[in-house]
Amino acid sequence: MSHIFWLSPAPFTGVCPICGAVEGHLAEIETPHPLEDQTIRYILCGGCASLFTDTPTCLDYDLAMGFQDSQLRMYLEVGAGIHAMLRRAASVKGARGKSFLDVGCGFGFAPDAWRRMINPDAAGIELARYGRIGAEQLGVTIYDRLLGQIAELEGRRFGVVQAIEVIEHVADTRAFLADLGAMLEPGGVLALSTPCADFIRPNDYPAELLGLLSPGFHAFLFSKKALEAALRQQFPYVQVVIERESLSAWASHEPFELDPALAEEIYIPYLERLWAERVEGDALYDGIAYRLFKERLNRG
């Protein structure tokens, strides 16, 4: 098991990949690299208070998942946060009339729920192998190429574009946000989330912090201040909120409103429909059954 070592803050010289600041940085954390015989240091930016690593490249996400049968089964049975994947996009007011593109959709639960419960015009993009598995098992459209390299989406625009836990994996965040914005129709809204650098502080939960840092797979973590600034470079209307360990954000070229009611309204009916279609005993059947039991119990 990897560990987190809090360093005595030491000056670090380098360029923050988020804001471009070159001064005032402090090396704060060190962790072993998960696959290589070296350590990774996490640097607190003196300009935007984000964290970035001194090894800026990210490993392929297929390596993170592993994709052995046991790991995929665990993801389907308990690991995939289906409600979290869906709720930011579904919180856009007027979502029922909007088409949907989920960039980095994973197994495809969010576009599948959208096409079934909100609007049939929904698709996902996922480079990792579990996107191809999800497309086959759920019957949802998932493209396995980079945004901008998908001929089927050329000229397409969507009412809601989502990127959940994706931006921390990309090399050029400004270009990524510009590409996402270019996929929005007039009045469209971008929804995204990312781990929150403001949450990374010494505490009693190193395993939780290690999951957020994801050594080797996250090149940086945004602060709330930095994410707001990055979005405002592309969009005039921006809302960013801290939700404990995560940042949730919405952005648009036009004014928009949020309403969380739709996500709560459709979540359990989506699980019920999906569960009814599965064969008892497969991992997806078991995982949806578990989530239904948990939600029904929690709601009395």
Side-chain angles (χ1 to χ4, degrees):
M1 178 179 178
S2 297
H3 298 279
I4 293 178
F5 302 98
W6 289 89
L7 307 173
S8 297
F12 177 85
T13 301
V15 179
C16 173
I18 294 175
C19 73
V22 296
E23 297 180 349
H25 307 323
L26 294 174
E28 282 203 331
I29 303 170
E30 189 173 77
T31 68
H33 194 287
L35 298 178
E36 300 175 10
D37 186 19
Q38 63 178 6
T39 58
I40 299 173
R41 285 188 301 170
Y42 291 83
I43 317 301
L44 179 65
C45 174
C48 67
S50 297
L51 288 171
F52 63 93
T53 71
D54 60 356
T55 54
T57 57
C58 291
L59 294 170
D60 188 283
Y61 195 64
D62 274 330
L63 292 173
M65 288 295 294
F67 287 113
Q68 298 177 17
D69 289 345
S70 60
Q71 291 168 310
L72 180 59
R73 185 176 187 91
M74 184 175 69
Y75 171 83
L76 293 176
E77 290 184 346
V78 298
I82 299 175
H83 183 269
M85 297 173 188
L86 180 62
R87 67 178 178 85
R88 280 99 169 183
S91 292
V92 175
K93 192 170 184 179
R96 284 199 183 276
K98 296 182 181 294
S99 54
F100 178 60
L101 178 66
D102 190 357
V103 180
C105 69
F107 195 78
F109 288 114
D112 184 51
W114 198 279
R115 73 184 179 95
R116 293 171 183 263
M117 311 301 297
I118 297 177
N119 187 319
D121 190 0
I125 297 174
E126 178 56 62
L127 303 184
R129 190 169 72 90
Y130 68 157
R132 296 189 288 277
I133 299 171
E136 179 180 347
Q137 292 198 21
L138 297 174
V140 65
T141 299
I142 300 178
Y143 302 102
D144 61 356
R145 285 150 283 159
L146 290 170
L147 187 64
Q149 299 178 4
I150 304 171
E152 296 92 328
L153 295 182
E154 187 173 350
R156 285 294 314 275
R157 299 295 181 266
F158 294 85
V160 178
V161 173
Q162 172 173 277
I164 299 300
E165 310 296 309
V166 176
I167 195 170
E168 65 272 12
H169 297 278
V170 305
D172 188 337
T173 59
R174 181 175 298 185
F176 181 63
L177 290 174
D179 288 343
L180 293 175
M183 298 302 297
L184 292 174
E185 65 184 25
V189 179
L190 169 65
L192 60 82
S193 71
T194 190
C196 179
D198 305 277
F199 185 78
I200 307 296
R201 297 291 182 265
N203 62 26
D204 295 330
Y205 305 102
E208 184 175 23
L209 297 185
L210 193 64
L212 295 176
L213 293 172
S214 293
F217 298 99
H218 292 171
F220 44 77
L221 274 69
F222 278 88
S223 67
K224 180 176 184 289
K225 169 186 174 182
L227 185 57
E228 285 180 335
L231 287 167
R232 291 191 185 281
Q233 290 179 353
Q234 308 284 345
F235 305 94
Y237 301 95
V238 172
Q239 182 173 331
V240 181
V241 296
I242 295 177
E243 297 179 322
R244 198 171 178 270
E245 76 279 7
S246 297
L247 294 171
S248 293
W250 298 264
S252 180
H253 297 293
E254 298 181 19
F256 64 91
E257 295 181 50
L258 301 177
D259 181 357
L262 179 60
E264 303 308 314
E265 177 186 332
I266 68 172
Y267 179 53
I268 289 181
Y270 167 64
L271 295 180
E272 291 172 338
R273 287 183 59 177
L274 183 57
W275 186 49
E277 297 175 1
R278 304 307 303 175
V279 176
E280 183 174 356
D282 80 358
L284 187 52
Y285 176 97
D286 292 343
I288 300 303
Y290 156 71
R291 291 171 178 86
L292 273 173
F293 175 78
K294 180 181 72 172
E295 292 299 331
R296 287 170 173 168
L297 184 66
N298 289 342
R299 300 176 190 215

